[in-house]
Amino acid sequence: MFQRFRRTRLKGQLRSLVRETTLAKDDFIYPLFVRSGEGIKTEVSSMPGVFQMSVDEILKECVELKKLGLYSIILFGIPEVKDSIGSDSLCEHGIIATAIRAIKKEHPEMFVVTDLCFCEYTDHGHCGIIDEVNETVINDATLEISAEQAIIHAKAGADMIAPSGMMDGIIVTLREALDIAGYENLPIMAYSTKFASGYYGPFRDVAESTPSFGDRSSYQMDPANRREAINESIADEMQGADILMVKPALAYLDIVREIRDNTSLPLAVYNVSGEYAMLKAAGERELIDYDRVVMETMIGFKRAGADIIISYHAKEVAKMLEIV
């Protein structure tokens, strides 16, 4: 006798009852890009539907997100002036700190995650203080100013901090600094396995963070390395991370699955700009059933083991979930 797997596929209600992986609005964090000024809402040509926004427009966007049932955001800052050490990110009146305070005042129920890095704030576009001789980031000096940036975010009212620079020792450095400053209950979402990927191209347009020289291969991970990826995430867990992350997501689902099998911590994926732009382009050319492929992609992330999805598709998915 052979097994009749189709028995549980023939009726829609039964398919729903035996469905193994589900998707909900609470799974998503929506990225927002805030810049200095007022009345600014500029669409990014390489990322249709994604905007650079001034703080007043970000507040309006939060209203729309809440209507859709989305209450978690991650903030990226675009300062008016950039310099060699990203001074705006170290200032209590910088763009990110200003945005956090405004959001928490107008929309206290919004859960505000802050991306902690320097590439958006430096004139060279790299993720910390530069070693000009070797054209790379000085790890330990960058840890020091990263701790300063974390305290700025915490004081402004951030609900969670997500350091993305891939500096060795960043999690333990931030955990110790936050604890000493009295923010021992502020969680850290580690960019624990972040690859030096070609999928980030459109992000660098919206964040205005393209490196002025070289690339980030000396501190972000080699896409070919699987074992190192697992070690990176486990090391961040041991240093005190509360949530782990894999970035990008779509080409690294094997890594997501392996990390899921090696940790009980919550696991996030970042569905990055290049992944978003590819689906947008294919949808606009009617090469795919856009809504169906987006949902299939999101389910793929969850099936691989992700608990949280950071995605530019989040608003679209929220609307789709209303219809399902």
Side-chain angles (χ1 to χ4, degrees):
M1 180 182 295
F2 60 87
Q3 178 118 18
R4 293 188 179 273
F5 292 100
R6 292 184 58 205
R7 289 185 187 127
T8 57
R9 300 175 191 159
L10 291 175
K11 302 288 185 179
Q13 188 58 42
L14 184 52
R15 288 196 297 273
S16 296
L17 286 170
V18 300
R19 185 165 293 136
E20 299 174 22
T21 305
T22 58
L23 196 65
K25 295 177 183 181
D26 288 342
D27 297 332
F28 287 89
I29 299 175
Y30 187 60
L32 290 174
F33 298 88
V34 58
R35 70 173 312 139
S36 302
E38 189 173 348
I40 298 171
K41 188 174 182 179
T42 306
E43 189 171 24
V44 181
S45 60
S46 58
M47 296 180 69
V50 175
F51 300 84
Q52 295 179 342
M53 289 181 273
S54 51
V55 173
D56 56 315
E57 293 294 332
I58 290 282
L59 296 178
K60 295 176 186 176
E61 184 71 7
C62 288
V63 173
E64 295 304 311
L65 290 171
K66 289 193 295 185
K67 288 179 181 177
L68 291 170
L70 298 172
Y71 287 86
S72 298
I73 58 175
I74 181 166
L75 281 181
F76 298 86
I78 307 162
E80 190 170 356
V81 177
K82 303 189 179 194
D83 61 23
S84 62
I85 63 168
S87 298
D88 186 271
S89 65
L90 303 173
C91 173
E92 293 189 8
H93 302 289
I95 186 60
I96 280 289
T98 299
I100 298 168
R101 287 192 295 269
I103 294 168
K104 298 307 290 185
K105 180 180 179 181
E106 294 292 324
H107 304 285
E109 64 273 52
M110 294 298 289
F111 187 83
V112 180
V113 184
T114 57
D115 178 81
L116 189 152
C117 195
F118 291 96
C119 61
E120 302 133 61
Y121 307 94
T122 54
D123 52 14
H124 48 72
H126 281 281
C127 298
I129 295 175
I130 288 296
D131 174 350
E132 294 183 1
V133 175
N134 296 305
E135 292 192 339
T136 188
V137 174
I138 304 173
N139 194 91
D140 293 6
T142 299
L143 293 181
E144 293 181 19
I145 58 173
S146 296
E148 293 180 36
Q149 189 181 155
I151 300 303
I152 294 293
H153 292 193
K155 286 181 177 178
D159 295 299
M160 183 160 67
I161 290 173
S164 61
M166 288 296 285
M167 296 298 110
D168 291 336
I170 185 66
I171 300 303
V172 68
T173 297
L174 297 187
R175 187 71 274 158
E176 290 177 355
L178 290 167
D179 289 357
I180 290 170
Y183 298 103
E184 62 274 7
N185 292 321
L186 186 64
I188 298 173
M189 178 168 63
Y191 281 69
S192 51
T193 300
K194 180 179 178 181
F195 293 91
S197 172
Y199 281 97
Y200 303 146
F203 174 90
R204 290 168 186 169
D205 293 337
V206 65
E208 299 179 5
S209 62
T210 301
S212 61
F213 62 89
D215 58 27
R216 299 185 177 124
S217 297
S218 67
Y219 44 101
Q220 294 178 358
M221 277 200 54
D222 185 338
N225 289 1
R226 180 183 61 82
R227 295 189 301 274
E228 183 186 4
I230 311 305
N231 289 338
E232 282 270 13
S233 282
I234 298 306
D236 279 3
E237 177 176 5
M238 293 176 66
Q239 290 179 31
D242 300 284
I243 299 172
L244 304 177
M245 187 200 302
V246 177
K247 179 181 180 179
L250 196 56
Y252 298 92
L253 294 182
D254 60 321
I255 305 299
V256 176
R257 182 72 261 166
E258 288 218 40
I259 293 173
R260 174 74 290 153
D261 289 342
N262 280 276
T263 182
S264 58
L265 285 184
L267 180 59
V269 293
Y270 200 134
N271 176 212
V272 299
S273 59
E275 298 166 9
Y276 173 85
M278 287 192 302
L279 290 191
K280 277 292 184 183
E284 288 172 0
R285 294 182 62 186
E286 299 184 349
L287 300 175
I288 59 171
D289 180 335
Y290 178 77
D291 287 4
R292 183 175 179 180
V293 171
V294 167
M295 290 296 281
E296 192 173 332
T297 301
M298 300 301 129
I299 287 290
F301 297 149
K302 291 291 297 292
R303 190 182 63 247
D307 303 294
I308 299 165
I309 302 170
I310 305 170
S311 179
Y312 306 99
H313 292 291
K315 291 183 359 181
E316 298 171 317
V317 173
K319 293 173 184 176
M320 294 175 200
L321 289 172
E322 291 287 347
I323 298 171
V324 173

